[in-house]
């Protein structure tokens, strides 16, 4: 019963409190009026003439006699007069006084039992948030309007904490990205600077042969190509955050056809085989097809670099999720996979001449932008396996 009352709406609760207070006040005032009437009669009886009283009782009845034999005030003692007037007051105003007192008590109890706790919780939560502390919980759980408000406040706090965590993660990623940019751009510039100094010193004095000079120039060309890749990747990074998702209906056949066409080109360039399997089709998926295909291209290119003979693509499409797994038969990922999806990461130092190490990083960001994730693991039969998960968007 107590739990049901606690979970009543604010309107029903105040009505319940007020109705209870008024009913109690009514019955209590009725009892007080009756008692005051008896007390007043007892006081008056002291000043009645018994013979006159009996005669009036015979002719007019009890009620008339009691109301008609009110003694004059000057005949009563001060104390009896005070008691008589007090009884008059109680009989006339007891209902009003007790109703007002009961209403005030009802409002006080309503505030104490219904509003005080949640208001205190919300006030403390607001103060805690203003101090940039989100590590707390709003615990008021009654099923009323204040409970709903507290739950919404708790949801807001949790969302703020999540957004704050995401912001800090973004700041850390940007800091790491700036550090990686500084490192990666310094390396080719140092090589170019070294070759420039050597050619400047040796060519005028003709202390270097033509073949050696041409090798230096060829190496300079490689470093310039490396910087071109780097600049192109940075251009793509600049447009990554601002890119808006373009939802469209996507079927498994549509994706399989697009991936198959891309695989034909990649197979010719790499000399390795790409096998495509569709394992689950349940409904039509809604997502950004171009973004999904770009992730697939990045992951396929990365897998083909490390595969020995073949790469397997497994496609799963449902109404709510699109899952694409790409596995190679290479040596697999290293034991520590923490840095594999970071910017400018490369397992092979020689790859940095042709690849900026951004494929996995961009793929992870695209998957997260699409509500999903990029999952990395080493396959049981050997080789690396990367699964791109995309959630449905509207």
């Amino acid at each position: 019963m107590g739990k049901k009352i606690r979970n009543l709406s604010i309107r029903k609760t105040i009505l319940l409190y007020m109705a209870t207070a008024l009913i109690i006040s009514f019955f209590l005032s009725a009892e007080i009026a009756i008692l005051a009437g008896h007390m007043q009669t007892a006081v008056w009886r002291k000043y009645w003439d018994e013979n006159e009283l009996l005669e009036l009782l015979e002719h007019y009845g009890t009620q008339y006699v009691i109301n008609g034999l009110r003694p004059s005030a000057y005949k009563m003692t001060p104390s009896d007069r005070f008691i008589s007037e007090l009884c008059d007051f109680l009989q006339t105003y007891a209902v009003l006084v007790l109703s007002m007192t009961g209403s005030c008590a009802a409002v006080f109890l309503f505030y104490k039992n219904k509003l005080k706790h949640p208001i205190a919780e919300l006030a403390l939560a607001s103060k805690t948030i203003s101090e940039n502390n989100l590590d707390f919980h709003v615990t008021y759980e009654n099923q009323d309007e204040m409970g709903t408000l507290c739950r919404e406040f708790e949801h807001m706090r949790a969302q703020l904490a999540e957004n704050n965590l995401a912001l800090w993660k973004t700041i850390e990623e940007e800091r790491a990205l700036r550090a990686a940019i500084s490192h990666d751009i310094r390396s080719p510039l140092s090589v170019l600077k070294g070759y420039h100094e050597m050619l400047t010193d040796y060519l005028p004095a003709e202390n270097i042969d033509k073949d050696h000079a041409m090798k230096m120039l060829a190496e300079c060309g490689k470093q310039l190509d490396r910087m071109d890749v780097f600049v192109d990747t940075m251009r793509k990074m600049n447009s990554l955050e601002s890119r808006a998702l373009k939802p469209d209906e996507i079927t498994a056949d549509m994706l399989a056809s697009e991936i198959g066409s891309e695989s034909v080109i990649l197979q010719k360039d790499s000399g390795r085989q790409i096998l495509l399997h569709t394992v689950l089709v349940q409904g039509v998926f809604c997502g950004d097809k171009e973004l999904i295909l770009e992730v697939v291209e990045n992951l396929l290119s990365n897998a083909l670099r490390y595969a020995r003979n073949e790469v397997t693509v497994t496609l799963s499409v449902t109404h709510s999720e699109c899952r694409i797994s790409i596995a190679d038969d290479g040596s697999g990922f290293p034991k520590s996979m923490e840095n594999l999806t970071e910017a400018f990461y490369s397992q092979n130092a020689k790859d940095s001449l042709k690849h900026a190490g951004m494929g996995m990083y961009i793929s992870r960001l695209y998957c997260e932008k699409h509500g999903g994730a990029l999952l990395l693991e080493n396959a049981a039969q050997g080789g690396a396996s990367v699964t791109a998960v995309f959630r449905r968007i509207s």
Side-chain angles (χ1 to χ4, degrees), residues 236-247:
K236 185 181 294 185
M237 282 296 300
N238 288 333
S239 62
L240 179 61
E241 291 298 327
S242 60
R243 176 172 179 176
L245 296 178
K246 300 176 182 178

Side-chain angles (χ1 to χ4, degrees), residues 168-184 234 237 339 341-345 358 361 364:
W168 277 109
K169 183 179 178 181
T170 301
I171 292 173
E172 289 298 321
E173 286 186 348
E174 289 182 353
R175 185 180 300 169
L177 185 60
R178 287 195 299 270
I181 290 172
S182 300
H183 176 272
D184 273 51
M234 292 310 302
M237 282 296 300
N339 300 322
T341 58
E342 299 299 325
F344 303 106
Y345 177 84
M358 296 290 285
Y361 176 71
R364 175 174 66 83

Side-chain angles (χ1 to χ4, degrees), residues 56 62 82 87 96 124 133 135 207 221 289:
L56 289 174
T62 305
F82 173 78
C87 290
L96 178 61
L124 179 61
N133 179 15
D135 188 19
N207 291 332
K289 186 178 71 172

